[in-house]
Amino acid sequence: MVVHEITHSWFGNGITSVSLIHFPFLYRWTHCCWYLCRHVNACHFWLNEGWTTYIERLLLQIIYTPAHRGFSFLIGSKKLYDDLKQYQSTPRYQRLQIDFEYGENPDDAYSSIPYDKGANFLLHIGKFPWWHCFNWLLLRRFGGR
């Protein structure tokens, strides 16, 4: 938990819906409009928590072993599947990007879905051949210019 909160300082709080402008491929993947990209709102909560969870697990691999990272993804997958079952009656809460109605409380959709589904999404796109270019962009964005 401490690693997760520290990771927010470096990645989670620095990645918001505004980041979609810097990483246009995320724009395509999240299917949002440019208007939303310019305004931080609750429907992009996964950007903050998904990135933080992904980087937290990457740090587990660096600090301990790749097995620790893999085990953390397995534990997260169990929580994710449990929460997906919980929201079967409201499938829109199962999405990464939730379009909240005016006046709707975002806490009604709070679960491990933005954390683990977001981290798994990033893990998935990390398998594409261009991921090394993405890592370069990430380091450039957060590691100085």
Side-chain angles (χ1 to χ4, degrees), residues 83-101 104-111 113 117:
D83 285 346
L84 289 172
K85 285 181 190 175
Q86 175 186 345
Y87 288 114
Q88 280 181 339
S89 59
T90 51
R92 65 192 191 98
Y93 289 165
Q94 295 177 333
R95 300 180 190 143
L96 273 181
Q97 178 188 332
I98 302 169
D99 296 322
F100 291 103
E101 312 253 335
E104 184 178 8
N105 187 352
D107 286 343
D108 294 342
Y110 183 78
S111 67
I113 293 172
K117 197 172 191 180

Side-chain angles (χ1 to χ4, degrees), residues 40-76:
V40 178
N41 57 40
C43 67
H44 295 289
F45 180 66
W46 80 271
L47 283 170
N48 189 302
E49 295 301 342
W51 273 98
T52 299
T53 303
Y54 176 79
I55 299 298
E56 166 198 346
R57 291 174 181 168
L58 187 60
L59 290 173
L60 284 174
Q61 175 178 331
I62 294 168
I63 294 170
Y64 299 109
T65 65
H68 282 82
R69 179 181 183 211
F71 190 64
S72 185
F73 270 105
L74 284 174
I75 292 170

Side-chain angles (χ1 to χ4, degrees), residues 5-17:
E5 297 308 323
I6 290 172
T7 305
H8 269 299
S9 313
W10 289 98
F11 289 92
N13 294 336
I15 297 177
T16 63
S17 57

